[in-house]
Amino acid sequence: MKDKLYINETKEHFDVLVVGSGITGGWAAKEFCERGYKTLIIERGRVVEHRKDYIGEGKGPWQFANRMKVDNLLVEEQYRIQKQCYAFNDATKHFFGNDRDLPYSTETGTDFSWIRANQLGGKSLLWHRQSYRYSDFDFNANKADGHGIDWPIRYKDLAPWYSKVEKHAGISGSPEQLEQLPDGEFLPPFEMTSPEKQLKASIEKHYPERTLIMGRTAHLTKPSEFHLSQGRGQCMARDECQKGCSFGGYFSSQSSTLPAAAKTGNLHIAPNSVVHSLIYDEKSNRVKGVRVIDNDTLKTREYFARVVFLCASTLGSTQILLNSKTKTFPNGLANSSGVLGHYLMDHNYNAVIRGEFEGFEDEYYSGRRPSGIMVPNFQYRPDKYSKKYLRGYAFGGGSSRSNWQSSGWSDGIGAEFKNRLTQAGPWHMTLYAQGEMLPRYENSVSLHPTKTDKWGIPQLHINCKWSENEILMMQDAAETGKEMLLKAGLKNVHASVTTDTKAPGLAIHEVGTARMGADAKQSVLNAYNQSHDIPNLFVTDGASFCSSAVANPSLTFMALTVRAVDYCAKEMNAKRI
């Protein structure tokens, strides 16, 4: 099976080429393969086999030479940027890109942290798994305040596709009937701790328009028969997801979509294939294929198909389009609008609030819950709130109790010190704000005029920074979060804002740069993620977004992808593509 699945040199002409194998690429491949289309995934990185290649899984910190810390010399040589990611450590570093081989530049006075995972499965092995539907308030926000162009879709257009991906992936959560955060097809939610329940009661008492809910996350809290038939099992609440999960307890390409695609016999994968550019035929106005450079040998090869789906990540797909220059499209393929590369956004995680609960000394928790709580955006109606900034934010976070790991840093020696290590300390609560970033033309990416990477591909040059709107938003979030914790009776409450020290990128929610829209003069894609300019070219990752919204984008990536495949298949059957 592996010999048929993985290919390198081939003269075969495919129905579909899918560039990228992460969350969107896995879904595109599954949907096309199950419809009977011969599909080739082009993946720039190595093969990662489910279970076999999760080399850090199940190992304790004591089994690593530096107790999970990565050697400083190795960090400086290969992971200077990647080390900033919350999931980066000695047990997961092999899933991250090598900064030495993946250079990019930033405009003077700006910075951007580009987190990459170049292997089969991409960042689906590393994502934080928070999964939320967007509402009509999100899809209407640009139109409402005039920043960015109007989304060409609304919630009703995505609702059935949200349901489809939720049922397959397995999303735990609780129905809340919130108009700004639509309910989905949920497995049972994880349980809140008693301090979190107290905070929930306080927030809902003092702020009737706010609520605290359990995070909605792509974990099998109670797998269905369908999930078990995929070879997946229940989440064990180890919270070591970024090491890889042999149980398949959380959704990833390896645990879910790629096996489903492979089962059809229609899937082929070309690993270690770095996409240089798309092959465009001027006469027919069609993309004919993809030009790649071997990751190891640096030899070039080409793959051909009837349709191309770009699912290489927001910046990855944009870099490919920018580098695919032709006589018709001298500024990047499918860029007659001139907006390709512009309107880059990331989420604004720049306010943190911490406090200490009194009481609950007789309570603890079992396991390591892989999700936290959420206070959904309560500023979703622009006419209801008088503030100095546009859009809004949500709070994420969770409670925990100090244990030997934290108290072990205190002074002491001897029997008394050892005894103290066996006693749990006070309960703490942490809230972090997740705010929307306005779409702005000047936040952009372009190809560097002289610098290239090891494959000879022009480096991306990124110009992105927080605006005054994002700065004011986080200042308000810090004050609001502090007020909520104080009203709930917490002590030693502290808040901080980091917009001056923390650059965009680290939310790893970058979107925009090849946006969809109803007007071809202002957008790259139509309402079905299809290029306005080239009918057989689709982009279904975050590059297609018109706004960042407030909630995590991954579930919307998936829904947009399966919707685009459905549309594309109908167009192919009608021979319009």
Side-chain angles (χ1 to χ4, degrees):
M1 179 63 181
K2 290 179 184 177
D3 293 338
K4 295 180 181 179
L5 183 61
Y6 300 110
I7 64 171
N8 203 327
E9 301 286 348
T10 179
K11 295 184 182 297
E12 189 168 1
H13 195 284
F14 295 88
D15 295 314
V16 183
L17 298 181
V18 177
V19 179
S21 61
I23 282 178
T24 55
W27 268 106
K30 170 191 173 296
E31 293 298 300
F32 275 119
C33 287
E34 290 181 342
R35 283 171 168 81
Y37 292 102
K38 189 170 292 185
T39 303
L40 176 67
I41 287 180
I42 302 172
E43 169 54 53
R44 69 178 293 154
R46 65 190 176 95
V47 172
V48 173
E49 290 188 31
H50 187 44
R51 300 187 177 97
K52 174 186 173 184
D53 292 328
Y54 301 154
I55 59 177
E57 184 183 20
K59 292 183 179 179
W62 57 90
Q63 293 177 277
F64 294 86
N66 297 309
R67 303 300 188 266
M68 301 283 276
K69 287 189 66 176
V70 180
D71 178 83
N72 287 335
L73 181 60
L74 188 63
V75 165
E76 288 306 310
E77 287 182 346
Q78 298 184 20
Y79 300 114
R80 184 176 54 84
I81 296 165
Q82 308 306 305
K83 71 177 181 181
Q84 301 172 81
C85 178
Y86 63 88
F88 181 83
N89 57 55
D90 206 18
T92 63
K93 66 180 185 298
H94 47 280
F95 289 149
F96 285 84
N98 184 330
D99 292 324
R100 179 190 59 204
D101 294 339
L102 301 167
Y104 62 95
S105 59
T106 56
E107 188 71 17
T108 303
T110 74
D111 199 3
F112 191 91
S113 298
W114 188 5
I115 304 301
R116 285 178 277 186
N118 298 327
Q119 70 260 322
L120 191 66
K123 288 197 286 283
S124 79
L125 293 171
L126 293 169
W127 70 307
H128 208 51
R129 307 164 305 282
Q130 293 293 295
S131 302
Y132 302 95
R133 297 187 179 198
Y134 284 3
S135 73
D136 272 332
F137 295 101
D138 299 309
F139 292 120
N140 194 57
N142 285 1
K143 182 179 180 180
D145 60 34
H147 287 262
I149 61 168
D150 188 18
W151 283 81
I153 59 174
R154 290 296 186 265
Y155 176 69
K156 64 179 176 59
D157 299 308
L158 270 192
W161 307 106
Y162 277 133
S163 291
K164 178 180 174 70
V165 300
E166 286 165 343
K167 289 175 183 177
H168 183 93
I171 309 298
S172 67
S174 57
E176 302 286 345
Q177 298 181 331
L178 302 174
E179 59 180 359
Q180 78 272 37
L181 197 70
D183 291 332
E185 311 285 343
F186 295 139
L187 301 175
F190 286 98
E191 186 179 1
M192 292 185 193
T193 64
S194 293
E196 289 166 353
K197 292 175 183 177
Q198 175 179 292
L199 179 60
K200 174 180 172 67
S202 172
I203 289 174
E204 294 171 3
K205 173 185 176 183
H206 292 104
Y207 310 95
E209 78 283 8
R210 305 177 197 176
T211 187
L212 185 151
I213 67 172
M214 194 62 229
R216 297 170 179 175
T217 187
H219 283 261
L220 301 183
T221 50
K222 186 177 180 181
S224 66
E225 288 298 321
F226 171 70
H227 295 129
L228 296 174
S229 73
Q230 294 180 30
R232 300 174 63 191
Q234 183 172 342
C235 171
M236 295 289 105
R238 300 180 297 176
D239 195 22
E240 296 188 343
C241 314
Q242 288 82 22
K243 295 179 180 180
C245 179
S246 293
F247 294 103
Y250 74 89
F251 171 83
S252 69
S253 294
Q254 268 83 350
S255 69
S256 186
T257 49
L258 292 183
K263 187 178 180 180
T264 67
N266 293 319
L267 178 67
H268 302 275
I269 301 171
N272 295 302
S273 300
V274 180
V275 175
H276 175 278
S277 54
L278 304 184
I279 302 168
Y280 173 70
D281 180 68
E282 301 270 356
K283 186 176 180 180
S284 64
N285 187 34
R286 296 292 188 273
V287 174
K288 294 293 186 180
V290 173
R291 186 178 296 109
V292 309
I293 302 171
D294 189 277
N295 193 14
D296 300 317
T297 68
L298 304 186
K299 291 182 179 180
T300 60
R301 54 181 178 265
E302 297 175 342
Y303 300 113
F304 297 92
R306 185 177 170 186
V307 167
V308 173
F309 263 57
L310 285 183
C311 302
S313 80
T314 293
L315 297 184
S317 291
T318 303
Q319 184 177 27
I320 291 168
L321 290 172
L322 288 170
N323 200 43
S324 302
K325 298 178 181 180
T326 70
K327 181 180 178 180
T328 304
F329 300 104
N331 299 313
L333 199 63
N335 190 26
S336 65
S337 65
V339 301
L340 179 66
H342 295 276
Y343 302 101
L344 173 62
M345 295 162 278
D346 188 32
H347 273 138
N348 186 8
Y349 280 89
N350 283 294
V352 179
I353 308 95
R354 294 186 174 92
E356 184 177 313
F357 287 97
E358 290 186 326
F360 304 104
E361 286 89 353
D362 60 344
E363 296 201 34
Y364 205 66
Y365 45 84
S366 175
R368 296 189 294 270
R369 188 183 68 192
S371 182
I373 55 87
M374 182 190 193
V375 178
N377 177 23
F378 48 87
Q379 301 180 84
Y380 58 94
R381 287 187 178 273
D383 57 328
K384 284 188 64 176
Y385 297 94
S386 176
K387 47 189 171 48
K388 298 177 182 178
Y389 56 90
L390 297 170
R391 313 289 171 96
Y393 54 83
F395 285 111
S399 67
S400 60
R401 195 170 183 189
S402 300
N403 58 22
W404 66 269
Q405 290 172 303
S406 50
S407 62
W409 295 103
S410 61
D411 294 335
I413 193 170
E416 182 181 347
F417 174 68
K418 293 178 181 179
N419 182 61
R420 197 162 67 244
L421 295 183
T422 68
Q423 308 302 311
W427 284 89
H428 294 88
M429 186 73 202
T430 299
L431 293 177
Y432 61 83
Q434 178 173 318
E436 187 160 359
M437 187 178 191
L438 291 179
R440 298 164 62 226
Y441 181 85
E442 55 267 37
N443 281 342
S444 61
V445 298
S446 58
L447 298 183
H448 197 282
T450 59
K451 295 180 179 180
T452 60
D453 58 25
K454 64 179 276 189
W455 302 279
I457 298 172
Q459 295 180 22
L460 269 191
H461 184 70
I462 304 176
N463 181 9
C464 187
K465 61 182 179 181
W466 307 118
S467 71
E468 184 71 10
N469 196 74
E470 284 87 55
I471 293 170
L472 291 172
M473 180 187 292
M474 289 298 104
Q475 291 172 351
D476 179 78
E479 295 170 6
T480 300
K482 184 175 182 179
E483 179 187 88
M484 290 196 305
L485 294 191
L486 288 171
K487 280 187 178 294
L490 276 74
K491 306 297 182 184
N492 300 320
V493 178
H494 302 280
S496 60
V497 177
T498 58
T499 42
D500 58 339
T501 60
K502 188 175 174 183
L506 278 182
I508 324 177
H509 291 172
E510 57 265 26
V511 295
T513 65
R515 67 185 184 180
M516 59 169 61
D519 185 353
K521 294 181 180 179
Q522 299 185 70
S523 57
V524 177
L525 309 170
N526 67 15
Y528 292 95
N529 296 76
Q530 179 187 33
S531 163
H532 285 299
D533 295 331
I534 305 170
N536 69 332
L537 173 62
F538 292 74
V539 184
T540 70
D541 52 34
S544 65
F545 277 40
C546 297
S547 65
S548 73
V550 171
N552 302 56
S554 299
L555 190 70
T556 303
F557 294 168
M558 300 186 223
L560 286 172
T561 298
V562 295
R563 179 173 180 266
V565 171
D566 181 75
Y567 171 81
C568 178
K570 291 174 181 174
E571 292 292 288
M572 293 171 77
N573 291 340
K575 301 191 183 303
R576 288 188 288 266
I577 294 179

